[in-house]
Amino acid sequence: MKIALLGYGKMGQIVERFAVDRGHEIVLKISVDNRADLTTANLRKADVAIDFSAPDAAIDNIYACFDANLPVVVGTTGWYGQLQEVKNECLVRNNTLLYGSNFSIGVNIFFHMNKVLAKLMNNFPAYEVQVEEIHHTQKLDAPSGTAMTVAEGIIENLDRKIEWVNELVGTPFDDVLKKEQLLIESHRIENIPGTHTVVYSSEVDEIEFKHTAHNRSGFALGAVVAAEWLENKQGFYNITDIFDFK
Ligand SMILES: NC(=O)c1ccc[n+]([C@@H]2O[C@H](COP(=O)([O-])OP(=O)(O)OC[C@H]3O[C@@H](n4cnc5c(N)ncnc54)[C@H](O)[C@@H]3O)[C@@H](O)[C@H]2O)c1
């Protein structure tokens, strides 16, 4: 496949390595310095685009792909407030988009098991639950998209939680947490690619369910696999559509 890379930072460069290893060709690389090259004509040289850019760039990039009728895989997080609008536009215009808060296979197994565990914990009201995420200090959004997916998986399955609230540790936080609120605690520490933990604690013990990314390779490989999966498909997809955990 011919691939356009929208965002050529830490993730874009690793995606390039995996894509080339798997026999694909990179025909366009867009970063903040050459945004003028993001034209319909240039995008049409590609079979698919992979976006790992920035929260404030992702929407423009997605619409540029729609204008060029180019399927796009979006790894960028921090734009999900506009997800419904983008989905509607994608479907109305018969375009193709696959997004995911986390492309790693391990995290997608973690997402699934998190839901199973949350359902089980309905039977054990003595346990309070909390989500924790740790990322490198350059991360622009908090909580992480992955932590939001984990929190939503809990809220969908654990009756005693109805919404999440975020505390970015080190910034002011004076909310008094209500029983039905789920806390996502965000930590920013140098050089951490991504760690997510779900903690159930009672007065007598604690259960920790944790995923630790050792590096960014799992996300990048997952994005290339997602681009391959998207070939000859049309519509709006999530990375979870690739996996069958039934
Ligand atoms: N879904 C996943 O599995 C996953 C995994 C890791 C990171 N991410 C997300 O991917 C995104 C990128 O992460 P990164 O670590 O590569 O960041 P990075 O800062 O290293 O790279 C960002 C790239 O985007 C470019 N960019 C920024 N603003 C732009 C603009 N207005 N127009 C065009 N290009 C622009 C920058 O020049 C750079 O090349 C973040 O949102 C991050 O949270 C997602």
Side-chain angles (χ1 to χ4, degrees):
M1 281 191 304
K2 291 183 167 48
I3 299 179
L5 293 177
L6 311 184
Y8 191 61
K10 292 183 281 299
M11 283 303 301
Q13 291 173 41
I14 308 173
V15 169
E16 175 178 37
R17 222 174 55 220
F18 279 100
V20 170
D21 279 357
R22 292 170 74 90
H24 305 302
E25 185 190 350
I26 307 302
V27 292
L28 183 66
K29 296 174 195 172
I30 298 292
S31 70
V32 77
D33 307 319
N34 69 334
R35 240 196 114 65
D37 293 342
L38 186 69
T39 61
T40 298
N42 279 340
L43 286 171
R44 284 198 174 137
K45 293 175 189 157
D47 302 310
V48 65
I50 300 181
D51 184 291
F52 280 98
S53 60
D56 60 355
I59 300 288
D60 284 351
N61 291 351
I62 290 168
Y63 284 126
C65 292
F66 286 177
D67 289 343
N69 203 18
L70 181 68
V72 57
V73 170
V74 186
T76 306
T77 56
W79 57 275
Y80 297 152
Q82 284 156 275
L83 190 65
Q84 194 55 47
E85 172 194 322
V86 168
K87 179 178 180 178
N88 293 344
E89 197 66 18
C90 176
L91 296 177
V92 165
R93 294 171 62 167
N94 294 325
N95 284 120
T96 302
L97 184 151
L98 183 148
Y99 80 100
S101 62
N102 198 307
F103 282 107
S104 102
I105 291 168
V107 161
N108 280 278
I109 295 168
F110 183 78
F111 285 158
H112 179 73
M113 293 310 297
N114 170 56
K115 290 182 180 177
V116 172
L117 181 58
K119 207 172 206 50
L120 178 94
M121 294 311 278
N122 280 313
N123 298 326
F124 303 100
Y127 287 86
E128 184 49 270
V129 58
Q130 173 170 326
V131 177
E132 292 169 10
E133 57 113 340
I134 314 174
H135 279 88
H136 53 90
T137 49
Q138 298 91 50
K139 185 160 181 64
L140 298 176
D141 49 326
S144 69
T146 304
M148 285 165 61
T149 305
V150 170
E152 280 153 15
I154 294 170
I155 289 164
E156 274 165 34
N157 290 283
L158 185 66
D159 300 339
R160 57 185 179 273
K161 294 293 170 191
I162 59 166
E163 61 175 3
W164 57 261
V165 290
N166 181 229
E167 176 185 3
L168 179 58
V169 173
T171 62
F173 181 77
D174 44 24
D175 287 14
V176 179
L177 218 61
K178 298 188 189 107
K179 267 314 247 181
E180 65 276 16
Q181 289 179 321
L182 169 64
L183 180 67
I184 306 177
E185 206 175 78
S186 298
H187 299 259
R188 295 292 170 259
I189 299 174
E190 220 40 68
N191 295 327
I192 305 281
T195 300
H196 294 85
T197 312
V198 179
V199 184
Y200 286 91
S201 51
S202 75
E203 283 197 3
V204 294
D205 61 4
E206 199 162 275
I207 305 165
E208 270 196 22
F209 180 54
K210 179 173 178 178
H211 179 273
T212 307
H214 294 315
N215 52 51
R216 294 181 173 81
S217 298
F219 313 133
L221 174 61
V224 177
V225 169
E228 292 167 355
W229 182 87
L230 210 52
E231 209 175 2
N232 302 322
K233 291 198 175 60
Q234 190 187 53
F236 189 83
Y237 300 97
N238 187 283
I239 184 69
T240 53
D241 295 326
I242 292 187
F243 303 104
D244 184 9
F245 292 128
K246 305 279 178 327

